[in-house]
Amino acid sequence: MSLPFQSAAILGAGLMGRLLAVTLAQAGCKVDLFEAGSPDAEGAAARVAAAMLAPLAESAVAPVSVVRMGQHALSRWPELLAPLAQPVFFQREGTLVLWHRQDTAEATRLARVLANTGTQVPELAPMQTLDAQAIAALEPSLGQRFAQGLFLPGEGQLDNRALLASLLTTLQASPRVTLHWQSPRAPSDFSPGTTGQPDWVIDCRGLGAKPQWHALRGVRGEVIRVHAPEVNLKRPTRLVHPRYPLYIAPKPGKLFVIGATEIESEDMSPASVRSTLELLSAAYAVHSGFAEARIVEIATQCRPTLPDNLPAIRRPRPRVLQINGLYRHGFMIAPALLDAAMELLAHGHSALAKSFDMEATDT
């Protein structure tokens, strides 16, 4: 893509900031990336994530516009990963949805929602209904534990931390990129387009942008990473439950990311005993091999969220772009936001953003 400018300052080195920095540099742009923290992305919501790419599964809580963004991402992620300096685990083995007998009513409701999504977004691979034998064919270790399930073909996941690390290595190797760690910046620190200043300023700071975007709020999430050599799961598995719908995402090296909790709070304190017990108990109910797993990490983070729980791109003043509100869908929708932002930067408008009901606004 040809760009009508030569330089950009990106604020925030989380997922969106790193993706934009790599993409702009590949397009020939000189990039300065400013981050308040360190290179390890310790403060980024993207570091505490399962990185599942599950548009149909997420339609249980997300509108059709987000589903379309997720469908876009499934084909874009391999293209974004290919030129990176280090390989990143990525798979499209589908999503398995299971439930215990007492939660059949909740599962029936979910199936209706997913079927309705399929009619609205026909390009999604159709949902499949499973019996115990079909479950065992997909996941042999689960066939005798569950009598019914759903399979959502084509959905995927990637390794979030490997991706953040590979993006960092790629940026460090690029002669067009200058990295500024421990260097918090706000858009008001720049006068883009003037002599000695970047041509564009792109704000990707998540909750760090709250002083300039007051509608932002944090939604707390808690995940547990375990090493479970006795568990054999090939794909992300979700457990239907009326109070804590659980997900288990297998990563390389017999690591599993377990999560479910979503709390309307900007509390960054450690996970509670109650939520930890609920997550681990639910995981054990899916696969008994988790009994001997070793807890590697219990992590919490607050995801940047706007009032409608939808992402947004806005232009608060000329040559300043703000991207925020990825909520719980960060990895699933980041490629769509990236591509829409690149269109806006190149042409001043984005047909892609319109197709996702996300036309950039001037504020």
Side-chain angles (χ1 to χ4, degrees):
M1 178 182 292
S2 177
L3 297 173
F5 59 91
Q6 296 181 334
S7 63
I10 298 176
L11 317 184
L15 175 61
M16 279 307 309
R18 294 185 190 207
L19 280 174
L20 268 167
V22 167
T23 305
L24 286 170
Q26 290 170 342
C29 185
K30 178 183 180 298
V31 178
D32 282 271
L33 180 59
F34 295 88
E35 165 58 39
S38 60
D40 61 10
E42 195 67 41
R47 184 173 171 79
V48 182
M52 293 180 294
L53 314 174
L56 182 53
E58 283 297 303
S59 72
V61 295
V64 168
S65 60
V66 170
V67 174
R68 291 197 178 102
M69 292 182 214
Q71 183 67 8
H72 175 87
L74 283 169
S75 58
R76 279 291 283 137
W77 269 120
E79 298 170 352
L80 294 171
L81 296 176
L84 296 185
Q86 300 167 340
V88 176
F89 167 73
F90 170 85
Q91 68 166 196
R92 287 191 64 179
E93 297 291 334
T95 299
L96 184 61
V97 182
L98 303 171
W99 59 89
H100 297 296
R101 183 172 300 175
Q102 66 268 25
D103 298 317
T104 299
E106 185 71 15
T108 301
R109 185 203 66 80
L110 173 64
R112 285 198 298 266
V113 172
L114 302 188
N116 182 58
T117 302
T119 63
Q120 296 180 75
V121 190
E123 58 268 31
L124 289 169
M127 172 182 67
Q128 300 174 13
T129 302
L130 308 177
D131 58 15
Q133 185 176 358
I135 293 171
L138 289 169
E139 297 288 357
S141 61
L142 301 181
Q144 295 182 351
R145 282 181 164 264
F146 297 92
Q148 293 179 296
L150 299 172
F151 181 56
L152 315 182
E155 297 197 329
Q157 64 158 332
L158 51 78
D159 186 332
N160 61 318
R161 294 187 179 179
L163 172 61
L164 292 171
S166 189
L167 287 167
L168 174 62
T169 302
T170 304
L171 291 169
Q172 290 170 331
S174 173
R176 298 190 181 98
V177 177
T178 303
L179 302 171
H180 306 266
W181 306 113
Q182 312 292 344
S183 301
R185 295 289 189 276
S188 58
D189 296 329
F190 301 88
S191 300
T194 61
T195 303
Q197 292 285 300
D199 295 323
W200 275 88
V201 173
I202 308 170
D203 188 353
C204 303
R205 291 175 296 155
L207 283 176
K210 194 172 181 179
Q212 291 78 37
W213 202 332
H214 301 300
L216 281 166
R217 74 188 196 279
V219 176
R220 176 183 168 98
E222 301 170 344
V223 300
I224 301 176
R225 286 178 173 258
V226 302
H227 180 241
E230 297 183 19
V231 177
N232 292 304
L233 292 177
K234 301 175 185 176
R235 55 184 55 79
T237 300
R238 297 182 180 226
L239 181 67
V240 177
H241 189 280
R243 193 155 62 85
Y244 48 87
L246 177 92
Y247 60 77
I248 302 170
K251 305 298 181 184
K254 288 290 186 175
L255 287 173
F256 295 84
V257 178
I258 303 166
T261 55
E262 186 170 292
I263 304 165
E264 285 284 346
S265 170
E266 294 186 12
D267 175 19
M268 295 286 287
S269 64
S272 69
V273 170
R274 176 180 176 177
S275 61
T276 301
L277 289 174
E278 287 180 342
L279 286 175
L280 294 177
S281 297
Y284 174 71
V286 172
H287 197 301
S288 60
F290 283 113
E292 295 303 319
R294 295 297 181 260
I295 297 173
V296 176
E297 178 183 305
I298 302 175
T300 61
Q301 186 53 265
C302 289
R303 294 159 287 196
T305 309
L306 291 164
D308 57 4
N309 292 348
L310 297 177
I313 301 175
R314 72 177 191 176
R315 291 173 287 205
R317 58 190 174 94
R319 294 183 174 269
V320 174
L321 205 64
Q322 293 178 306
I323 305 171
N324 221 313
L326 277 70
Y327 183 37
R328 59 181 279 165
H329 310 300
F331 288 87
M332 192 179 83
I333 65 176
L337 288 164
L338 171 69
D339 293 344
M342 290 296 293
E343 283 187 351
L344 284 163
L345 291 167
H347 309 299
H349 59 86
S350 170
L352 193 59
K354 286 185 178 181
S355 73
F356 296 138
D357 301 324
M358 191 187 61
E359 189 173 5
T361 59
D362 296 308
T363 57

